Amino acid sequence: MVAIIGRPNVGKSSLFNRILSRRHAIVSEVAGTTRDRLIAQASWKGRPFLLVDTGGLEDDPDGHIPQRVQQQADMAMGAADVIVFLTDVIEGVTATDEAVAQRLRRTDKPILLAVNKVDNDNRELAAAEFFGLGLNDTAFISAYHNYGVYDLLERIVELLPRRELADAWDGGPLSLSIVGRTNVGKSMLTNAIIGEERSIVSPVAGTTRDALDTAVSYRDHEITLVDTAGIRRPGQVQRGIEKYSVLRAVNAVHRSDITLLITDATELATAQDAHIAGLSWDTNRGLIVVVNKWDLVNRNRFRMERVLHRVRERLHFMRYVPVCFTSALTGEGIEEMLDTALSLWQERQKRVPYRDLQYLLADAVSTHTPPSQRGNIRNRLRIRRVRQVAVNPPTFVFSVNDPKLLHFSYQRYLENQIRDRFGFDRTHLRLIFRPERAEKSSRSGIRNRAR
């Protein structure tokens, strides 16, 4: 593990993104943009390692969130094998830099002093004052212009301990994105799952800004949890950092296998919850509705039934979605939620034999013949065959005479037949209707590539 530390706004997130060769962390001129630890897998010349971006270190943090930011940075330094201490040549050596350097000199971990924003000869001369911090390994870089970064990486991999770091981060086959409105308890739920404070928790809405990946193991399954920023209604999203935070959250849904939609038990199933669920539905992701803060509700034997009815009514386009009840504060329902996620994941991996699908198609068509268009029997949909071509989500391709003759009600009928026959009770199904000629040419191309 390699941790990047330093004062606010010295370019830590810019260096983090430069090493990853992608925009993973939010970069802004506003000091204090990064709050939680960002962890991502990186490698250089065949040496894999975990790269950690941290919030800015301050002498005297004022307020709850700045203090927790310092704790997150301390945890990153404690777990790191190599520490990159990033400074800013433009501002020069500050009192905070000297305090951090004094602290780092007491550790036995390898320390790399990286002086950032050194992009011309004058700044390179000015950077000489940083030798006074007493740290031997010093590099002059410019994360924005990609100057000196490769030399820095060379030195990092030289200092990494000689062990197989690839085993430390497997990523796992299952990715769970945790999304929802602001302040519904997403970060607290993430911390409750992993058993430590991975995300900063605060009653202030919008505390989490980046999408935070964490690898955990549960019942011999590797799972990647992605805690995201709260998604407000489009008209309430402010420009700048919050806008990019929402984009990160939407992107987390796209790259996950299953979405955990966190709702507040005291503000059930709002229109914004339905909008966020629609993101998962549009991208064919699995979805679990998690009713959090269940400990705040006055419960009786009918309360859960009323809540389920309200959720099903709001998410009428996804009535098959499983619903779990949790309390991140007390830990209630956490295991049941994870068990539901694993069960849904296994359902999304299910494959149906080709022969069974043909039997299903024959029974479905004989029971309910496709309706004709305008009463003309020649304008009736004819389905030749069906086959499953993918999993996660289960995807079925129907070979038909003309997809334009398909009515949405008959597509829903076929989907329900597949669900009832093969036990797809809680996952999204993707049905594709192709002209028979296109289907033949597609299979021919596959055979030619195989040859």
Side-chain angles (χ1 to χ4, degrees):
M1 181 177 287
V2 178
I4 303 174
I5 67 168
R7 291 184 292 106
N9 214 26
V10 295
K12 297 183 296 297
S13 295
S14 295
L15 179 60
F16 183 81
N17 291 340
R18 176 63 68 183
I19 293 176
L20 296 181
S21 299
R22 67 179 187 274
R23 292 189 177 184
H24 188 78
I26 297 174
V27 178
S28 170
E29 294 180 359
V30 179
T33 297
T34 302
R35 290 176 174 174
D36 299 285
R37 288 172 292 160
L38 273 178
I39 303 177
Q41 189 174 18
S43 66
W44 180 253
K45 293 190 174 180
R47 289 296 306 278
F49 56 91
L50 297 181
L51 188 65
V52 185
D53 182 22
T54 63
L57 296 173
E58 301 179 50
D59 286 334
D60 187 19
D62 184 20
H64 172 72
I65 292 179
Q67 291 175 0
R68 305 305 282 271
V69 170
Q70 308 309 302
Q71 293 177 9
Q72 291 276 341
D74 291 341
M75 292 172 67
M77 286 189 287
D81 297 297
V82 176
I83 298 175
V84 178
F85 175 28
L86 195 65
T87 57
D88 185 347
V89 69
I90 297 177
E91 296 187 12
V93 178
T94 66
T96 302
D97 290 332
E98 293 177 347
V100 173
Q102 184 177 3
R103 176 183 174 183
L104 292 177
R105 283 196 296 269
R106 294 195 294 265
T107 182
D108 56 354
K109 295 184 178 182
I111 309 297
L112 280 173
L113 172 62
V115 185
N116 194 24
K117 306 179 184 179
V118 181
D119 49 16
N120 57 50
D121 294 338
N122 292 332
R123 290 183 177 179
E124 188 168 349
L125 291 174
E129 69 169 316
F130 286 91
F131 288 113
L133 293 176
L135 300 175
N136 296 328
D137 256 339
T138 303
F140 299 159
I141 69 169
S142 173
Y144 182 81
H145 295 95
N146 198 22
Y147 168 76
V149 177
Y150 294 160
D151 293 335
L152 179 67
L153 285 170
E154 292 280 0
R155 187 62 184 138
I156 286 175
V157 297
E158 288 177 4
L159 295 174
L160 285 174
R162 288 292 173 180
R163 60 174 181 263
E164 191 57 48
L165 296 181
D167 294 339
W169 183 283
D170 188 26
L174 172 57
S175 176
L176 295 177
S177 60
I178 302 176
V179 301
R181 293 178 289 116
T182 56
N183 219 22
V184 293
K186 300 183 296 297
S187 295
M188 183 173 286
L189 187 65
T190 302
N191 295 340
I193 293 173
I194 65 179
E196 69 172 76
E197 187 164 342
R198 174 67 178 89
S199 303
I200 295 175
V201 178
S202 167
V204 179
T207 300
T208 302
R209 289 175 172 175
D210 285 289
L212 309 174
D213 291 20
T214 305
V216 298
S217 180
Y218 179 75
R219 300 196 191 282
D220 298 327
H221 288 82
E222 296 299 320
I223 302 175
T224 299
L225 297 174
V226 186
D227 182 21
T228 65
I231 302 178
R232 302 179 192 265
R233 287 184 297 177
Q236 295 181 347
V237 177
Q238 301 175 5
R239 291 186 177 182
I241 294 173
E242 185 178 2
K243 176 182 176 182
Y244 290 107
S245 297
V246 172
L247 292 176
R248 291 285 195 274
V250 173
N251 181 59
V253 174
H254 286 203
R255 62 188 177 91
S256 65
D257 300 305
I258 296 174
T259 299
L260 301 180
L261 173 58
I262 313 302
T263 63
D264 191 333
T266 62
E267 301 176 2
L268 266 179
T270 65
Q272 181 63 3
D273 291 330
H275 171 70
I276 299 172
L279 294 175
S280 178
W281 189 80
D282 290 339
T283 55
N284 302 312
R285 298 298 182 262
L287 180 68
I288 299 174
V289 176
V290 180
V291 181
N292 195 29
K293 304 184 182 180
W294 191 236
D295 56 308
L296 300 180
V297 176
N298 294 324
R299 288 175 270 180
N300 55 48
R301 58 177 179 170
F302 301 113
R303 179 67 179 179
M304 185 174 292
E305 294 181 7
R306 288 198 298 267
V307 170
L308 286 172
H309 177 74
R310 177 66 185 275
V311 171
R312 303 286 187 203
E313 185 180 34
R314 177 63 74 175
L315 304 182
H316 58 87
F317 54 94
M318 301 179 74
R319 293 187 179 274
Y320 52 82
V321 168
V323 181
C324 296
F325 298 84
T326 66
S327 170
L329 184 63
T330 64
E332 178 184 358
I334 300 296
E335 288 191 4
E336 180 185 354
M337 179 191 68
L338 293 176
D339 289 338
T340 301
L342 291 177
S343 177
L344 177 58
W345 167 248
Q346 293 170 357
E347 183 176 314
R348 289 173 64 84
Q349 302 297 321
K350 186 184 300 183
R351 284 192 176 273
V352 180
Y354 177 80
R355 183 177 180 180
D356 294 345
L357 284 173
Q358 307 320 305
Y359 287 146
L360 166 82
L361 180 60
D363 293 342
V365 172
S366 62
T367 302
H368 186 188
T369 305
S372 59
Q373 298 288 336
R374 299 179 182 178
N376 189 345
I377 193 172
R378 294 183 179 180
N379 292 334
R380 174 174 291 169
L381 180 73
R382 292 182 176 83
I383 307 176
R384 310 298 184 186
R385 65 186 63 84
V386 58
R387 59 193 179 97
Q388 185 177 1
V389 297
V391 296
N392 195 30
T395 304
F396 301 90
V397 174
F398 291 80
S399 177
V400 300
N401 58 333
D402 185 359
K404 296 179 181 179
L405 299 177
L406 175 68
H407 195 269
F408 73 89
S409 61
Y410 199 76
Q411 177 176 346
R412 188 185 305 161
Y413 163 73
L414 292 174
E415 178 180 337
N416 291 335
Q417 292 295 308
I418 295 176
R419 289 186 183 280
D420 295 341
R421 179 74 66 90
F422 303 113
F424 292 106
D425 301 323
R426 298 176 293 178
T427 183
H428 185 87
L429 298 182
R430 188 178 177 213
L431 273 57
I432 301 174
F433 294 83
R434 290 178 180 172
E436 188 174 15
R437 293 179 181 177
E439 183 70 10
K440 288 182 179 179
S441 62
S442 176
R443 292 200 305 270
S444 177
I446 293 174
R447 286 195 296 268
N448 290 336
R449 287 195 297 270
R451 291 172 183 172

